[in-house]
């Protein structure tokens, strides 16, 4: 039954923009189409910038909005460069909302076709506020110019089922299925705070609906809390010309250049076209960075069992793009996989993944070396709408508590969560989807679990400290799957990330730890300014970051250091660092200028990101609880900084810890006991983290409490009265 319908004129795109946003209020069933102003484009660019702009517009300013308040806004956008098929990775959607896990703004991106289709259907961004009384679906028909809110009580919420049903429903024939994209979550997202959003596309070759996830921070939980089963968009013939770039030939030229390079170099470098991010498993193991047993260790003896050769044999063959024309084509999957557990037991299913994060989080981190178990976890997390990173890190935490006896069968309702027990971990995941047993408790996420375990089990002071030290969350978000203990810069990369510890904001481990390219605090602070700002740009423009640094020009170092010029171009001073992949940065700047008709350089490009970055940091002040400061929120658990347990210390003592103790301790450590050395090391490492925090805040133009200064806001053109007033209260 149609609950509300609105007809609209589908606009032509101009220089990457549709020029309109769509607002739907599920309390009132109001549907509003609003203009995108020049100021919006100038200051907020698109993508995450537009999402945040709409959140700011609609969130109340006189109260702290919680994730499950009707006022929470779920926003989804593409970006001005989104939806072209010439330049690799131009199909991302970015989602924002007030997160159930962190209570502040989460942003998370996904492939699939939704964002680009939404834009070509007429909307640069979609914002949904309010909460429906009954289950609904939302259909945006970009062919006929119609928005429909439909009764969806009878539809299943499981991702693969609902995606297939709605794709068939709205397609005229089989080919037409490719013109439809569905966003959904699943039953797990109804019972856990780490619900993800699944973004679909129809795989014409394999003839089934496939998915990419906006995994982080519980955006799927918000969707289900609003009683939305799915959001569907339909738009035919989405291609580069339709984006009406200012200079089509220039877009084609730079796109061809970047594409040719991906194709030519991938097989010599990371094999993304064959393996995707799975190639990282052996590398992370080799450099002691692969989270193993809840981030205790960085090496997993059985890593080859869940390594690239095993998945090479299991993955469907050939490049597998999640967006039209992406030459990287890293979205690999497994067809005809037979499930061994749960509601699909004995059935053959198709699985999108696993990617590195799922393998590390739900493989090595659980001490699981069964590649099929990881595939099955991947399948069920997608089906139920659960983030595999939060699930991986969360269950790793439970398994360690089980090892220490803080959890036992009595407390888990009979689950044996010993290391390596994938079957019981899967049962826990099924419990989440059913909303029962220990699964329901686990669904609250690590941050709340820490408090729950301490209080519910009346833990001793030592046990409580252990629980806090080993629960791998910051700001309430579970860590993504890289070890940070020996990289101070990456500790900051996680700890000072706006939304919580996710590597899409800063990934500095190699430069810091392996290449030792940033020995001073100032150099680390500089990197923790430039890289997060650079990476923010992908979310503003509708782009995937993998084509930036997963395949690099063969003469990257020579160009970056000024040893050579290319196409008459010299590396600009601001990019003279091989880690920035300067030639690629210049490609992106050229691409941006060619679409929008602007003429900016690489410094301007970073500033446009810095503006939105500071906007998000300022907006979060609306949401953080009274008495909590950014300094508190930017903390990380000690497991991310150094060794918590003796065995963990001893496993790296010679390689890392003794050297640091000898160089930096003010006391003679030679005669200290292991416990004494660990205490001394902790003192040193925690002080270094705090020192880095101070340096980063300063570099970013923030107060020593981590709040953007009024001067910084002015410099960025963000000194709107409401923002300035908010920030002033926290100076
Ligand atoms: S690089 Fe991979 S994840 Fe990114 S758009 Fe291309 S296929 Fe999708």
């Amino acid at each position: 039954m149609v609950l509300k319908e609105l007809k609209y004129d589908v606009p032509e795109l101009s220089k990457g923009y549709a020029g309109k946003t769509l607002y739907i209020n599920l309390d009132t069933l109001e549907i509003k189409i609003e203009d995108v102003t020049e100021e919006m484009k100038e200051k907020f660019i698109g993508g995450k910038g537009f999402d945040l702009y709409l959140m700011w517009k609609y969130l109340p300013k006189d109260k702290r909005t919680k994730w499950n308040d009707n006022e929470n806004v779920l926003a989804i956008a593409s970006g001005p460069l989104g939806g072209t098929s010439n330049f690799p990775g131009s199909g991302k959607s970015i989602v924002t909302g007030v997160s159930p896990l962190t209570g502040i703004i989460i942003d998370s991106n996904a492939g699939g076709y939704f964002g680009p289709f939404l834009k070509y259907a007429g909307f640069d961004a979609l914002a949904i506020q309010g909460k429906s009384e009954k289950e609904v679906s939302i259909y945006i028909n970009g062919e006929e110019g119609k928005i429909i809110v439909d009764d969806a009580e009878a539809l299943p919420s499981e991702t693969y089922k609902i995606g297939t049903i709605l794709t068939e429903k709205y397609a005229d024939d089989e080919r037409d299925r490719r013109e439809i994209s569905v966003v959904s979550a699943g039953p797990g997202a109804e019972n856990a705070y780490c619900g993800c959003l699944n973004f679909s596309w129809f795989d014409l070759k394999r003839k089934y609906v496939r998915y990419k996830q906006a995994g982080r921070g519980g955006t799927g939980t918000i969707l289900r809390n609003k009683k939305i089963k799915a959001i569907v968009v339909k738009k035919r013939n989405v291609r580069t010309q339709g984006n009406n770039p200012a200079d089509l030939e220039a877009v084609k030229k730079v796109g061809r250049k970047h594409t040719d390079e991906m194709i030519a170099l991938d097989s010599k470098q990371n094999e993304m076209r064959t393996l995707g991010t799975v190639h990282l498993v052996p590398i992370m193991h080799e450099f002691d960075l692969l989270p193993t047993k809840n981030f205790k260790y960085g090496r997993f003896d059985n890593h080859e069992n869940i390594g690239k050769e095993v998945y090479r044999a299991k993955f469907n063959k050939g490049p597998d793009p999640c967006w039209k024309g992406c030459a990287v084509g890293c979205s690999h999957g497994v067809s005809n996989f037979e499930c061994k557990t749960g509601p699909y037991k004995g059935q053959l299913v198709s699985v999108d993944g696993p990617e590195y994060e799922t393998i590390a989080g739900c493989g090595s981190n659980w001490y699981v070396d069964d590649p099929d178990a990881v595939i099955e976890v991947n399948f069920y997390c997608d089906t139920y709408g659960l983030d595999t990173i939060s699930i991986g890190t969360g269950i790793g935490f439970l398994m360690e508590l089980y090892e220490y006896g803080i959890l036992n069968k009595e407390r888990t309702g009979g689950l044996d969560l010993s290391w390596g027990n994938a079957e019981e971990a899967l049962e826990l995941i099924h419990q989440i989807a059913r909303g029962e047993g220990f699964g329901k408790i686990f669904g609250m996420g690590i941050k709340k679990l820490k408090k729950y375990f301490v209080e519910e089990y009346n833990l001793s002071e030592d046990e409580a400290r252990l629980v806090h030290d080993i629960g791998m969350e910051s700001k309430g978000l579970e860590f993504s799957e890289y070890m940070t203990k020996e990289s101070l810069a990456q500790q900051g990369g996680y700890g000072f990330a706006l939304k919580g510890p996710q590597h899409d904001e800063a990934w500095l481990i190699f430069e810091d730890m392996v290449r030792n390219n940033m020995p001073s605090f100032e150099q680390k602070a500089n990197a923790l300014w430039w890289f997060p700002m650079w990476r923010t740009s992908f979310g503003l423009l509708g782009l995937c970051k993998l084509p930036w640094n997963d395949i690099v020009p063969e003469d990257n170092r020579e160009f970056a250091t000024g040893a050579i010029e290319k196409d008459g171009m010299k590396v600009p001073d601001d990019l003279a660092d091989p880690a920035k992949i300067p030639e690629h940065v210049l490609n992106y700047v050229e691409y941006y200028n060619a679409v929008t008709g602007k003429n900016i350089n690489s410094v301007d490009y970073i500033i446009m990101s810095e503006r939105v970055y500071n906007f998000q940091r300022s907006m979060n002040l609306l949401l953080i609880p009274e008495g909590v400061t950014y300094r508190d929120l930017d903390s990380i658990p000690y497991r991310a900084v150094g060794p918590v347990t003796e065995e963990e210390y001893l496993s790296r003592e010679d390689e890392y810890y003794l050297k640091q103790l000898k160089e930096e301790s003010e006391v003679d450590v030679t005669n200290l006991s292991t416990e004494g050395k660990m205490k001394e090391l902790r003192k040193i490492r925690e002080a270094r983290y705090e020192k880095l925090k101070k340096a980063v805040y300063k570099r970013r133009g923030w107060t020593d409490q981590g709040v953007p200064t009024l001067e910084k806001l002015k410099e960025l053109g963000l000194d709107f009265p409401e923002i300035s007033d908010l920030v002033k209260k926290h100076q």
Side-chain angles (χ1 to χ4, degrees), residues 416-428:
D416 173 358
L417 292 177
S418 303
W419 293 118
N421 197 340
E423 208 175 312
E424 296 283 89
L426 270 157
E427 176 50 26
L428 183 64

Side-chain angles (χ1 to χ4, degrees), residues 10 39 68 86 114 123 132 151 197 206 224 227 242 287 404 422 456-457 466 493 496 534 597 624 629 644 678:
V10 183
E39 186 181 35
N68 54 355
N86 291 70
F114 186 86
F123 306 108
S132 176
D151 183 327
L197 284 180
R206 303 196 180 91
R224 294 302 296 125
K227 292 226 167 168
F287 288 102
Y404 303 143
E456 190 71 15
Y457 306 148
L466 180 72
F496 315 144
W534 164 249
I624 60 177
T629 67
V644 174
M678 285 173 65

Side-chain angles (χ1 to χ4, degrees), residues 87-92 109-112 201 212 262 272 276-277 319-332 355 543-548 550-551:
F87 198 99
S90 301
K92 286 275 180 169
N109 69 72
W201 77 99
K212 279 289 219 181
M262 301 290 114
M272 297 289 282
T277 52
D320 229 340
C322 73
W323 170 244
K324 300 176 184 190
C326 179
V328 181
C330 70
S331 303
H332 304 292
E355 296 189 36
L543 300 175
C544 173
K545 70 148 192 69
L546 296 182
W548 160 56
D550 276 67
I551 300 164

Side-chain angles (χ1 to χ4, degrees), residues 131 170 345 375 507 592 702 707:
K131 220 185 268 190
Y170 293 118
K345 186 174 177 177
I375 295 174
W507 196 89
Y592 175 77
W702 296 349
V707 178

Side-chain angles (χ1 to χ4, degrees), residues 302-314:
N302 298 346
H303 72 97
E304 282 181 0
N305 295 352
I306 51 168
K308 63 181 188 179
E309 295 315 324
V310 172
Y311 286 106
R312 189 194 298 276
K314 289 181 182 288

Side-chain angles (χ1 to χ4, degrees), residues 84-90 251-266 273 324-329 547 551 584 587-588:
T84 69
S85 46
N86 291 70
F87 198 99
S90 301
V251 172
K252 284 185 180 167
K253 192 169 155 224
V254 71
R256 203 175 308 122
K257 180 181 171 210
H258 210 96
T259 297
D260 289 349
E261 188 186 287
M262 301 290 114
I263 293 170
L265 299 180
D266 177 60
R273 286 160 66 81
K324 300 176 184 190
C326 179
V328 181
I551 300 164
H584 281 184
N587 285 350
Y588 282 100

